[in-house]
mmCIF file of all heavy atoms in Angstrom:
data_model
loop_
_atom_site.group_PDB
_atom_site.id
_atom_site.type_symbol
_atom_site.label_atom_id
_atom_site.label_comp_id
_atom_site.label_asym_id
_atom_site.label_seq_id
_atom_site.Cartn_x
_atom_site.Cartn_y
_atom_site.Cartn_z
ATOM 1 N N ALA A 17 176.072 116.557 -13.192
ATOM 2 C CA ALA A 17 175.318 117.676 -13.628
ATOM 3 C C ALA A 17 175.626 118.051 -15.105
ATOM 4 O O ALA A 17 174.741 118.370 -15.891
ATOM 5 C CB ALA A 17 175.462 118.865 -12.738
ATOM 6 N N THR A 18 176.860 118.143 -15.453
ATOM 7 C CA THR A 18 177.232 118.606 -16.810
ATOM 8 C C THR A 18 176.868 117.620 -17.865
ATOM 9 O O THR A 18 176.602 117.985 -18.999
ATOM 10 C CB THR A 18 178.784 118.922 -16.915
ATOM 11 O OG1 THR A 18 179.487 117.760 -16.492
ATOM 12 C CG2 THR A 18 179.118 120.107 -16.028
ATOM 13 N N SER A 19 176.792 116.304 -17.513
ATOM 14 C CA SER A 19 176.440 115.289 -18.500
ATOM 15 C C SER A 19 174.902 115.059 -18.559
ATOM 16 O O SER A 19 174.505 114.275 -19.417
ATOM 17 C CB SER A 19 177.208 114.023 -18.247
ATOM 18 O OG SER A 19 176.877 113.501 -16.998
ATOM 19 N N ASN A 20 174.138 115.753 -17.719
ATOM 20 C CA ASN A 20 172.680 115.585 -17.691
ATOM 21 C C ASN A 20 171.991 116.935 -17.600
ATOM 22 O O ASN A 20 171.238 117.191 -16.674
ATOM 23 C CB ASN A 20 172.323 114.676 -16.489
ATOM 24 C CG ASN A 20 172.746 113.272 -16.622
ATOM 25 O OD1 ASN A 20 172.192 112.457 -17.379
ATOM 26 N ND2 ASN A 20 173.855 112.972 -15.916
ATOM 27 N N PRO A 21 172.258 117.865 -18.553
ATOM 28 C CA PRO A 21 171.720 119.186 -18.410
ATOM 29 C C PRO A 21 170.185 119.298 -18.355
ATOM 30 O O PRO A 21 169.615 120.097 -17.658
ATOM 31 C CB PRO A 21 172.295 119.941 -19.583
ATOM 32 C CG PRO A 21 172.643 118.847 -20.558
ATOM 33 C CD PRO A 21 173.040 117.694 -19.743
ATOM 34 N N LYS A 22 169.489 118.362 -19.134
ATOM 35 C CA LYS A 22 168.031 118.421 -19.109
ATOM 36 C C LYS A 22 167.478 118.003 -17.776
ATOM 37 O O LYS A 22 166.526 118.643 -17.262
ATOM 38 C CB LYS A 22 167.451 117.526 -20.207
ATOM 39 C CG LYS A 22 167.718 118.050 -21.610
ATOM 40 C CD LYS A 22 167.070 117.109 -22.635
ATOM 41 C CE LYS A 22 167.408 117.632 -24.012
ATOM 42 N NZ LYS A 22 166.879 116.727 -25.039
ATOM 43 N N LEU A 23 168.059 117.037 -17.129
ATOM 44 C CA LEU A 23 167.659 116.623 -15.796
ATOM 45 C C LEU A 23 167.940 117.746 -14.750
ATOM 46 O O LEU A 23 167.097 117.977 -13.897
ATOM 47 C CB LEU A 23 168.372 115.307 -15.357
ATOM 48 C CG LEU A 23 168.017 114.764 -14.004
ATOM 49 C CD1 LEU A 23 166.497 114.484 -13.835
ATOM 50 C CD2 LEU A 23 168.809 113.486 -13.741
ATOM 51 N N VAL A 24 169.045 118.367 -14.863
ATOM 52 C CA VAL A 24 169.385 119.493 -13.999
ATOM 53 C C VAL A 24 168.362 120.620 -14.127
ATOM 54 O O VAL A 24 167.875 121.116 -13.091
ATOM 55 C CB VAL A 24 170.808 120.036 -14.238
ATOM 56 C CG1 VAL A 24 171.066 121.306 -13.504
ATOM 57 C CG2 VAL A 24 171.838 118.950 -13.824
ATOM 58 N N VAL A 25 167.987 120.965 -15.324
ATOM 59 C CA VAL A 25 166.906 121.958 -15.527
ATOM 60 C C VAL A 25 165.609 121.580 -14.896
ATOM 61 O O VAL A 25 165.005 122.354 -14.206
ATOM 62 C CB VAL A 25 166.779 122.298 -17.063
ATOM 63 C CG1 VAL A 25 165.583 123.147 -17.292
ATOM 64 C CG2 VAL A 25 168.031 123.003 -17.534
ATOM 65 N N ARG A 26 165.241 120.318 -15.084
ATOM 66 C CA ARG A 26 163.928 119.841 -14.581
ATOM 67 C C ARG A 26 163.972 119.852 -13.054
ATOM 68 O O ARG A 26 163.003 120.344 -12.428
ATOM 69 C CB ARG A 26 163.671 118.418 -15.121
ATOM 70 C CG ARG A 26 162.203 117.999 -14.845
ATOM 71 C CD ARG A 26 161.909 116.679 -15.483
ATOM 72 N NE ARG A 26 162.195 115.652 -14.578
ATOM 73 C CZ ARG A 26 162.896 114.504 -14.782
ATOM 74 N NH1 ARG A 26 163.259 114.270 -16.071
ATOM 75 N NH2 ARG A 26 163.079 113.618 -13.912
ATOM 76 N N LEU A 27 165.034 119.396 -12.451
ATOM 77 C CA LEU A 27 165.107 119.338 -10.981
ATOM 78 C C LEU A 27 165.256 120.793 -10.427
ATOM 79 O O LEU A 27 164.717 121.053 -9.364
ATOM 80 C CB LEU A 27 166.304 118.442 -10.550
ATOM 81 C CG LEU A 27 166.157 116.964 -10.911
ATOM 82 C CD1 LEU A 27 167.407 116.200 -10.516
ATOM 83 C CD2 LEU A 27 164.895 116.393 -10.151
ATOM 84 N N ALA A 28 165.958 121.620 -11.072
ATOM 85 C CA ALA A 28 166.134 123.027 -10.634
ATOM 86 C C ALA A 28 164.798 123.741 -10.585
ATOM 87 O O ALA A 28 164.479 124.461 -9.693
ATOM 88 C CB ALA A 28 167.133 123.807 -11.568
ATOM 89 N N HIS A 29 163.940 123.381 -11.638
ATOM 90 C CA HIS A 29 162.565 124.010 -11.651
ATOM 91 C C HIS A 29 161.812 123.491 -10.422
ATOM 92 O O HIS A 29 161.129 124.335 -9.788
ATOM 93 C CB HIS A 29 161.902 123.638 -12.952
ATOM 94 C CG HIS A 29 160.523 124.175 -13.009
ATOM 95 N ND1 HIS A 29 160.257 125.506 -13.224
ATOM 96 C CD2 HIS A 29 159.313 123.548 -12.934
ATOM 97 C CE1 HIS A 29 158.920 125.696 -13.200
ATOM 98 N NE2 HIS A 29 158.347 124.509 -13.037
ATOM 99 N N LYS A 30 161.894 122.243 -10.146
ATOM 100 C CA LYS A 30 161.176 121.707 -8.974
ATOM 101 C C LYS A 30 161.648 122.334 -7.648
ATOM 102 O O LYS A 30 160.897 122.681 -6.772
ATOM 103 C CB LYS A 30 161.256 120.176 -8.908
ATOM 104 C CG LYS A 30 160.525 119.438 -9.990
ATOM 105 C CD LYS A 30 160.710 117.980 -9.834
ATOM 106 C CE LYS A 30 159.946 117.216 -10.879
ATOM 107 N NZ LYS A 30 158.515 117.052 -10.555
ATOM 108 N N ILE A 31 162.978 122.492 -7.583
ATOM 109 C CA ILE A 31 163.510 123.088 -6.319
ATOM 110 C C ILE A 31 163.156 124.523 -6.264
ATOM 111 O O ILE A 31 162.779 125.004 -5.115
ATOM 112 C CB ILE A 31 165.066 122.903 -6.359
ATOM 113 C CG1 ILE A 31 165.411 121.435 -6.124
ATOM 114 C CG2 ILE A 31 165.720 123.779 -5.279
ATOM 115 C CD1 ILE A 31 166.880 121.149 -6.311
ATOM 116 N N ALA A 32 163.118 125.266 -7.317
ATOM 117 C CA ALA A 32 162.689 126.668 -7.293
ATOM 118 C C ALA A 32 161.254 126.821 -6.804
ATOM 119 O O ALA A 32 160.921 127.772 -6.131
ATOM 120 C CB ALA A 32 162.857 127.312 -8.738
ATOM 121 N N GLN A 33 160.374 125.857 -7.139
ATOM 122 C CA GLN A 33 159.023 125.906 -6.676
ATOM 123 C C GLN A 33 158.946 125.556 -5.139
ATOM 124 O O GLN A 33 158.149 126.124 -4.419
ATOM 125 C CB GLN A 33 158.147 124.953 -7.489
ATOM 126 C CG GLN A 33 157.939 125.378 -8.911
ATOM 127 C CD GLN A 33 157.147 124.297 -9.688
ATOM 128 O OE1 GLN A 33 157.330 123.117 -9.479
ATOM 129 N NE2 GLN A 33 156.307 124.776 -10.511
ATOM 130 N N TRP A 34 159.770 124.675 -4.779
ATOM 131 C CA TRP A 34 159.771 124.208 -3.349
ATOM 132 C C TRP A 34 160.460 125.159 -2.409
ATOM 133 O O TRP A 34 160.038 125.383 -1.295
ATOM 134 C CB TRP A 34 160.460 122.857 -3.301
ATOM 135 C CG TRP A 34 160.795 122.336 -1.916
ATOM 136 C CD1 TRP A 34 159.953 121.760 -1.066
ATOM 137 C CD2 TRP A 34 162.088 122.452 -1.310
ATOM 138 N NE1 TRP A 34 160.699 121.456 0.082
ATOM 139 C CE2 TRP A 34 161.970 121.881 -0.028
ATOM 140 C CE3 TRP A 34 163.339 122.946 -1.726
ATOM 141 C CZ2 TRP A 34 163.047 121.769 0.819
ATOM 142 C CZ3 TRP A 34 164.419 122.876 -0.855
ATOM 143 C CH2 TRP A 34 164.263 122.263 0.382
ATOM 144 N N TRP A 35 161.531 125.835 -2.820
ATOM 145 C CA TRP A 35 162.367 126.602 -1.937
ATOM 146 C C TRP A 35 161.624 127.743 -1.252
ATOM 147 O O TRP A 35 161.701 127.902 -0.018
ATOM 148 C CB TRP A 35 163.536 127.165 -2.701
ATOM 149 C CG TRP A 35 164.561 127.888 -1.800
ATOM 150 C CD1 TRP A 35 164.659 129.188 -1.666
ATOM 151 C CD2 TRP A 35 165.482 127.289 -0.873
ATOM 152 N NE1 TRP A 35 165.637 129.458 -0.705
ATOM 153 C CE2 TRP A 35 166.146 128.287 -0.232
ATOM 154 C CE3 TRP A 35 165.740 125.920 -0.588
ATOM 155 C CZ2 TRP A 35 167.101 128.052 0.723
ATOM 156 C CZ3 TRP A 35 166.765 125.692 0.342
ATOM 157 C CH2 TRP A 35 167.413 126.746 0.970
ATOM 158 N N PRO A 36 160.801 128.599 -1.917
ATOM 159 C CA PRO A 36 160.146 129.702 -1.239
ATOM 160 C C PRO A 36 159.226 129.168 -0.157
ATOM 161 O O PRO A 36 159.046 129.759 0.910
ATOM 162 C CB PRO A 36 159.308 130.354 -2.368
ATOM 163 C CG PRO A 36 160.018 129.994 -3.584
ATOM 164 C CD PRO A 36 160.572 128.618 -3.428
ATOM 165 N N VAL A 37 158.531 128.004 -0.361
ATOM 166 C CA VAL A 37 157.667 127.481 0.673
ATOM 167 C C VAL A 37 158.419 127.118 1.887
ATOM 168 O O VAL A 37 158.057 127.369 3.002
ATOM 169 C CB VAL A 37 156.913 126.245 0.070
ATOM 170 C CG1 VAL A 37 156.089 125.561 1.164
ATOM 171 C CG2 VAL A 37 155.962 126.647 -1.073
ATOM 172 N N THR A 38 159.599 126.441 1.678
ATOM 173 C CA THR A 38 160.468 126.085 2.728
ATOM 174 C C THR A 38 160.960 127.271 3.545
ATOM 175 O O THR A 38 160.980 127.335 4.722
ATOM 176 C CB THR A 38 161.639 125.266 2.205
ATOM 177 O OG1 THR A 38 161.149 124.165 1.501
ATOM 178 C CG2 THR A 38 162.533 124.777 3.362
ATOM 179 N N GLU A 39 161.337 128.315 2.840
ATOM 180 C CA GLU A 39 161.828 129.525 3.464
ATOM 181 C C GLU A 39 160.751 130.203 4.317
ATOM 182 O O GLU A 39 161.030 130.673 5.384
ATOM 183 C CB GLU A 39 162.405 130.502 2.404
ATOM 184 C CG GLU A 39 163.708 131.156 2.869
ATOM 185 C CD GLU A 39 164.366 131.857 1.740
ATOM 186 O OE1 GLU A 39 163.930 132.976 1.387
ATOM 187 O OE2 GLU A 39 165.330 131.310 1.222
ATOM 188 N N ARG A 40 159.530 130.180 3.793
ATOM 189 C CA ARG A 40 158.436 130.795 4.603
ATOM 190 C C ARG A 40 158.221 130.048 5.872
ATOM 191 O O ARG A 40 157.962 130.642 6.931
ATOM 192 C CB ARG A 40 157.115 130.774 3.776
ATOM 193 C CG ARG A 40 157.115 131.819 2.713
ATOM 194 C CD ARG A 40 155.687 132.033 2.157
ATOM 195 N NE ARG A 40 155.079 130.805 1.618
ATOM 196 C CZ ARG A 40 155.152 130.457 0.345
ATOM 197 N NH1 ARG A 40 155.794 131.185 -0.494
ATOM 198 N NH2 ARG A 40 154.578 129.379 0.019
ATOM 199 N N LYS A 41 158.349 128.662 5.850
ATOM 200 C CA LYS A 41 158.192 127.957 7.079
ATOM 201 C C LYS A 41 159.331 128.218 8.064
ATOM 202 O O LYS A 41 159.103 128.281 9.265
ATOM 203 C CB LYS A 41 158.173 126.463 6.726
ATOM 204 C CG LYS A 41 156.907 126.056 6.032
ATOM 205 C CD LYS A 41 156.832 124.572 5.702
ATOM 206 C CE LYS A 41 155.526 124.254 4.988
ATOM 207 N NZ LYS A 41 155.444 122.805 4.643
ATOM 208 N N VAL A 42 160.513 128.446 7.539
ATOM 209 C CA VAL A 42 161.673 128.747 8.465
ATOM 210 C C VAL A 42 161.462 130.023 9.243
ATOM 211 O O VAL A 42 161.757 130.144 10.394
ATOM 212 C CB VAL A 42 163.014 128.731 7.687
ATOM 213 C CG1 VAL A 42 164.172 129.232 8.466
ATOM 214 C CG2 VAL A 42 163.329 127.334 7.156
ATOM 215 N N VAL A 43 160.992 131.075 8.560
ATOM 216 C CA VAL A 43 160.862 132.382 9.188
ATOM 217 C C VAL A 43 159.483 132.495 9.898
ATOM 218 O O VAL A 43 159.173 133.557 10.442
ATOM 219 C CB VAL A 43 161.043 133.524 8.179
ATOM 220 C CG1 VAL A 43 162.443 133.572 7.679
ATOM 221 C CG2 VAL A 43 160.015 133.515 7.072
#
């Protein structure tokens, strides 16, 4: 992660978009 900060930002953005949808399905 520390040696690939741009990739971490890109993947974190994708996860942030995905996470709320997943949480709605769980509840």
